[in-house]
Amino acid sequence: MTTSPPLSVALLTLGCARNDVDSEELAGRLAADGFQLVDDPEAADTVVVNTCGFVDAAKKDSIDTLLAASDLKETGRTRAVVAVGCLAERYGEGLAAELPEADAVLGFDDYDDIAGRLRSILAGDRPHPHTPKDRRLLLPISPAERSSEVSSGSTSLQGVSGVRTRLDSGPMAPLKLANGCDRRCTFCAIPMFRGSFVSRRTSEVLDEARWLATQGVRELFLVSENNTSYGKDLGDIRLLETLLPEVAAIDGIERVRVSYLQPAETRPGLIEAIATTPGVAPYFDLSFQHASNPVLRRMRRFGDAESFLGLLDQVRANAPAAGVRSNVIVGFPGETDEDLQVLTDFLVAARMDVTGVFGYSDEDGTEAEGFDGKLDEDEIRARVEHVTDVVTAVNAERAEARIGEEVVVLVEDLQPDGEPGHVEGRAAHQGPEVDGATYVVDTAGSLRVGDLVRARVVASDGVDLIAEAMED
């Protein structure tokens, strides 16, 4: 008797590291239910696009990806294209109406039975598109205990609340601490479609960290919408401080990095834990968003330039070479020339390694959408260009100041430009994808992906560093 080949699926992921984890959990569920995971969308029976719905540029990228995947139905093997992720959760029926090329728009509630949903779609069913709801109105529940039963040879993490299969073989992997957000920033829609903040239990986080170590991961990137809130719904707001040494002590894990810290919640004990715990990168991803107190109040955030500089002083008192990155929003409704000057003065004084600059745009359903004092697009664009010029110079000066420093680099790519003689990686102050890279001279060709190499910085190029390997 002939058996039909397994259905194949390709997952395309857009957006942040939290989406990367979601895709690997979807992949785990699909693989556990008999689907064959493939990298090439053209070789897949169905393409699942894990979309991002954060800002306009990310939404456009998601839609473009869905349209490109839909074109494969005309030219190749692909029979169905399915939208999941934040854009699908946020707009649901509206997205389906505007994008008939997608065969289904599924929400987060469909994830538990994603294999069943895809089988049904491939069989010709067209499920009713996801109906969006404000997830802030749902009662948050304590995270279920995930009893991981993982052997060192297993390629999937399996547990009560799901499974995870790695889609990337690199030596860094994101590890999710929580879902959702309890803050109510006036410009942000994330809580509406991600829901309230729900921490994962430490036992679940540690089980997944140990499993990732068996998959060749050397650096763990701890992610959530707000890591400074981790543990508050479990009765211990300082839980991250006690978790970090446990994660860093796991066999095979050489570096632990914490993402997204809310400045107003960044307490001295957490600064000390990140700055001084062996195996934890002294890296501070502080979401300042602005530095003018009137603008921050309208954003429903807290602080000002003076308090933020004080926070950075605390960081550097604990770890003088700490990496610091942030994002700022320029052109927020009501932002004056004086507010803009406060921001630029702060950015010069803060001397951060990397700063992302974003122009304000209305987000559907947010409070700021109804604010008066809106700036026109040309003015916002001009302000973005001005602030970008400022931070480009500041960030380059900060990188140049690292010349002579000894760094430890995680090797992630060999011959990145096709030429022998150096490798690409990241030092402790550089987060994945957005903070630049360190290129290590390797004339002997002895370094391999996943190695951690001691090196001395000899030059800089923008935020990138060039370093020479040191003898052990």
Side-chain angles (χ1 to χ4, degrees), residues 263-264 288 290-291 296 302-313 346:
F288 290 123
H290 212 281
L296 288 164
F302 303 94
D304 52 28
E306 183 179 0
S307 64
F308 291 165
L309 290 173
L311 180 60
L312 293 175
D313 286 343
F346 164 73

Side-chain angles (χ1 to χ4, degrees), residues 164 166 173-175 208-217 220 253:
R164 179 175 179 180
R166 290 210 71 199
L175 175 59
E208 189 162 331
R210 293 186 189 100
W211 171 76
L212 287 166
T214 70
Q215 305 302 300
V217 171
L220 292 173
I253 299 301

Side-chain angles (χ1 to χ4, degrees), residues 78-242:
T78 304
R79 294 153 49 197
V81 173
V82 178
V84 300
C86 292
L87 190 69
E89 175 68 32
R90 185 174 180 183
Y91 293 106
E93 297 162 316
L95 178 63
E98 294 293 326
L99 199 70
E101 292 87 350
D103 297 280
V105 175
L106 304 180
F108 296 149
D109 291 339
D110 293 301
Y111 283 15
D112 283 346
D113 188 29
I114 187 65
R117 299 288 192 275
L118 293 193
R119 290 185 194 280
S120 173
I121 293 163
L122 286 167
D125 291 342
R126 291 297 175 263
H128 187 276
H130 160 69
T131 302
K133 54 181 172 287
D134 188 342
R135 287 185 171 266
R136 294 174 299 182
L137 304 178
L138 301 177
L139 289 174
I141 59 172
S142 295
E145 188 80 47
R146 180 181 294 178
S147 56
S148 303
E149 297 177 0
V150 185
S151 68
S152 60
S154 174
T155 59
S156 291
L157 172 71
Q158 302 192 23
V160 171
S161 60
V163 295
R164 179 175 179 180
T165 294
R166 290 210 71 199
L167 297 173
D168 182 351
S169 60
M172 185 283 300
L175 175 59
K176 191 182 291 186
L177 292 183
N179 285 294
C181 183
D182 285 339
R183 301 192 69 86
R184 296 294 181 262
C185 303
T186 58
F187 57 84
C188 183
I190 288 176
M192 286 189 288
F193 55 86
R194 280 288 185 181
S196 298
F197 189 89
V198 178
S199 302
R200 298 176 68 193
R201 295 192 182 277
T202 55
S203 56
E204 184 180 331
V205 173
L206 290 167
D207 281 345
E208 189 162 331
R210 293 186 189 100
W211 171 76
L212 287 166
T214 70
Q215 305 302 300
V217 171
R218 309 298 300 281
E219 178 179 312
L220 292 173
F221 189 38
L222 306 185
V223 299
S224 76
E225 277 73 20
N226 180 9
N227 283 329
T228 40
S229 283
Y230 178 68
K232 70 176 185 179
D233 52 323
L234 298 176
D236 186 357
I237 191 59
R238 293 176 176 80
L239 196 55
L240 184 54
E241 287 96 307
T242 58

